[in-house]
């Protein structure tokens, strides 16, 4: 009950805020942050703004970055994904940036498995406003991950 209440409030804040929000789980373990992983489908995003934010945090921690783009049987190839991925990597400048594209029908489980095995220090996600109607049917990936990960989740709000 406590997890649901606190977690739901954290998700609500990250959804309603007009700035980046860091969600830190109660049982988070802290150490050197050597990798910040960005989980995204790379569609409908401001890639330059995302890259700027990711670069900022990686530079602070001296961390590498990685982009996790989970693919499944519903993933439709889009040129936009490739363009956005390239813009983010280019915007990272001298910061080492990797790309991981696991295939899994369960996106949240694939991300959770990857950040755990890779020992990511933070997971970054991009806030997307789906609107009222779409929001009724959209399952929040951030919410799913917030209840299972033991690392902070950075919800990036683009300009």
């Amino acid at each position: 009950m406590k997890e649901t209440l606190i977690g739901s409030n954290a998700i609500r804040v990250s959804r309603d805020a007009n700035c980046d929000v860091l969600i830190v789980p109660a049982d988070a373990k802290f150490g050197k942050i050597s990798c910040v992983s960005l989980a995204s489908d790379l569609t409908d995003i401001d890639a330059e703004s995302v890259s700027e934010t990711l670069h900022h945090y990686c530079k602070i921690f001296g961390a590498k970055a990685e982009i996790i783009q989970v693919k499944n049987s519903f993933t439709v190839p889009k040129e936009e994904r490739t363009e956005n991925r390239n813009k983010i990597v280019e915007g990272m400048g001298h910061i080492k940036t990797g790309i991981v594209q696991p295939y899994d029908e369960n996106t949240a489980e694939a991300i959770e498995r990857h950040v755990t095995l890779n020992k990511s220090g933070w997971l970054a996600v991009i806030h997307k406003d789906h609107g009222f109607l779409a929001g009724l049917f959209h399952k929040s990936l951030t919410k799913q991950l917030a209840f299972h990960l033991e690392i902070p989740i950075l919800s990036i709000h683009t300009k």
Side-chain angles (χ1 to χ4, degrees), residues 8-37:
S8 294
N9 285 334
I11 297 301
R12 191 174 306 111
V13 168
S14 75
R15 183 189 64 220
D16 295 341
N18 290 323
C19 60
D20 299 338
V21 174
L22 185 64
I23 302 169
V24 181
D27 54 352
K29 294 172 181 68
F30 294 94
K32 180 174 176 5
I33 297 171
S34 58
C35 180
V36 177
S37 298

Side-chain angles (χ1 to χ4, degrees), residues 142-159:
T142 305
K143 189 172 186 175
Q144 292 175 63
L145 293 167
F147 292 119
H148 298 283
L149 292 178
E150 293 181 354
I151 62 171
I153 298 174
L154 176 67
S155 177
I156 299 174
H157 282 250
T158 56
K159 298 170 182 127

Side-chain angles (χ1 to χ4, degrees), residues 25-138:
D27 54 352
K29 294 172 181 68
F30 294 94
K32 180 174 176 5
I33 297 171
S34 58
C35 180
V36 177
S37 298
L38 169 68
S40 177
D41 66 359
L42 301 173
T43 61
D44 301 320
I45 63 169
D46 177 354
E48 291 172 9
S49 181
V50 169
S51 146
E52 183 180 306
T53 301
L54 191 59
H55 181 273
H56 173 76
Y57 289 109
C58 286
K59 188 174 179 183
I60 287 173
F61 298 117
K64 68 178 182 177
E66 71 176 356
I67 301 167
I68 305 171
Q69 181 188 5
V70 179
K71 295 182 174 188
N72 59 39
S73 56
F74 297 106
T75 304
V76 177
K78 289 186 177 181
E79 192 174 312
E80 173 189 17
R81 286 188 173 101
T82 303
E83 289 173 6
N84 285 334
R85 184 176 57 241
N86 291 342
K87 284 181 187 177
I88 292 170
V89 170
E90 186 179 303
M92 294 305 290
H94 69 281
I95 293 174
K96 183 178 177 185
T97 306
I99 299 165
V100 180
Q101 296 179 312
Y103 185 91
D104 198 309
E105 294 302 321
N106 187 318
T107 302
E109 283 182 13
I111 293 167
E112 182 179 356
R113 186 172 43 255
H114 180 79
V115 298
T116 301
L117 291 173
N118 191 50
K119 298 186 183 344
S120 298
W122 279 11
L123 175 67
V125 295
I126 303 166
H127 170 76
K128 293 184 181 180
D129 187 5
H130 295 283
F132 178 73
L133 280 178
L136 291 175
F137 301 102
H138 183 267

